Amino acid sequence: MRRLHNALLLKQLYTLRELGFEYSDIKPSELEEEPARLPYEMRELEAMVAGCQLCELSKTRHKTVFGEGDENAQLMFVGEGPGATEDSTGRPFVGRAGELLTKMIENALLIPRSSTYIANIVKCRPPGNRVPSEEEAYTCRPYLLRQIELVSPQIVVTLGATAYRYLTGDKSPISRVRGNVIDTQKYKIVPTFHPSYLLRNPSAKKEAYRDMLLIKSLMQEG
Ligand code: URA
């Protein structure tokens, strides 16, 4: 009930801003406590996501895309949101971008994709693959934070600017922050390019490969 109340409140604030009212931007820290009201059991959380109707994306989705992989993974990937193939299968990163992500994991990190955990900022497909709005991203973010808490990885790799922005609150361009290591108290965040960007800009694969080597060395450090 309280979550619904908060989501509606958030919606009102966004509407006021669209009308020209100014107020300070939402800081992730203000929402950090939200996951406290979510289940601590992964299947229960997944069921809650499957029934979620807190934002507009729920109206057009076919399937929610919760996330998949090793729930004790050392390494977690966070993308932006499901595309068409993910929306029809209910699995993350299974389209063309997913094929590239799988190659990056298996050929550069030399580990099976199934040994990692993969999730997204939003669990429902934005129509036409548009970037999720702030409202959609911040409404869905508590689910991701609880997933991260449950998996408890050492490294979280954010794929693209949207994943980086909504996990960290930093709006810097991905070209500036990729390859950095952000040490939070609980895990390290390594931003890199989104595989869809790499499909459109193959020359950036060199830098993405360097990021993978960095991730590999962080994993070996343990
Ligand atoms: N792009 C994403 O960001 N996530 C997916 O699951 C698929 C494509």
Side-chain angles (χ1 to χ4, degrees), residues 65 78-83 86 91-95 97-98 118-120 159 194 196:
V65 179
V78 176
E80 177 174 309
E86 291 78 18
R91 296 183 54 209
F93 281 99
V94 286
I118 305 178
N120 281 302
L159 300 166
H194 193 286
S196 301

Side-chain angles (χ1 to χ4, degrees), residues 80-139:
E80 177 174 309
T85 322
E86 291 78 18
D87 178 59
S88 64
T89 58
R91 296 183 54 209
F93 281 99
V94 286
R96 280 188 67 221
E99 276 170 29
L100 180 55
L101 176 62
T102 305
K103 276 192 199 150
M104 286 160 69
I105 297 171
E106 305 204 335
N107 299 343
L109 297 179
L110 306 176
I111 54 172
R113 168 182 158 130
S114 58
S115 71
T116 71
Y117 191 86
I118 305 178
N120 281 302
I121 292 287
V122 293
K123 312 300 191 211
C124 298
R125 182 189 183 202
N129 296 345
R130 65 165 170 75
V131 176
S133 68
E134 278 193 8
E135 181 186 345
E136 291 156 356
Y138 280 123
T139 303

Side-chain angles (χ1 to χ4, degrees), residues 17-182:
R17 188 159 72 178
E18 270 161 32
L19 290 171
F21 288 90
E22 293 207 353
Y23 55 92
S24 59
D25 209 356
I26 293 170
K27 295 283 179 302
S29 56
E30 291 167 31
L31 297 167
E32 286 309 347
E33 60 177 58
E34 182 71 17
R37 287 182 284 275
L38 295 177
Y40 279 95
E41 208 282 310
M42 199 68 108
R43 297 288 76 76
E44 272 180 51
L45 185 67
E46 185 168 12
M48 184 178 262
V49 166
C52 181
Q53 298 191 334
L54 288 178
C55 84
E56 291 294 302
L57 298 183
S58 63
K59 295 184 183 158
T60 48
R61 73 175 177 231
H62 290 100
K63 289 193 175 170
T64 52
V65 179
F66 179 68
E68 68 176 24
D70 182 347
E71 290 171 9
N72 297 305
Q74 183 188 2
L75 178 63
M76 182 161 170
F77 289 89
V78 176
E80 177 174 309
T85 322
E86 291 78 18
D87 178 59
S88 64
T89 58
R91 296 183 54 209
F93 281 99
V94 286
R96 280 188 67 221
E99 276 170 29
L100 180 55
L101 176 62
T102 305
K103 276 192 199 150
M104 286 160 69
I105 297 171
E106 305 204 335
N107 299 343
L109 297 179
L110 306 176
I111 54 172
R113 168 182 158 130
S114 58
S115 71
T116 71
Y117 191 86
I118 305 178
N120 281 302
I121 292 287
V122 293
K123 312 300 191 211
C124 298
R125 182 189 183 202
N129 296 345
R130 65 165 170 75
V131 176
S133 68
E134 278 193 8
E135 181 186 345
E136 291 156 356
Y138 280 123
T139 303
C140 211
R141 186 175 183 269
Y143 295 132
L144 176 69
L145 294 182
R146 177 49 49 87
Q147 277 174 301
I148 296 177
E149 203 179 332
L150 290 173
V151 174
S152 187
Q154 283 157 23
I155 303 160
V156 176
V157 179
T158 54
L159 300 166
T162 305
Y164 175 73
R165 171 182 170 183
Y166 289 113
L167 190 61
T168 62
D170 178 5
K171 294 183 184 172
S172 299
I174 191 68
S175 52
R176 191 183 311 151
V177 295
R178 62 139 282 276
N180 288 349
V181 180
I182 298 115

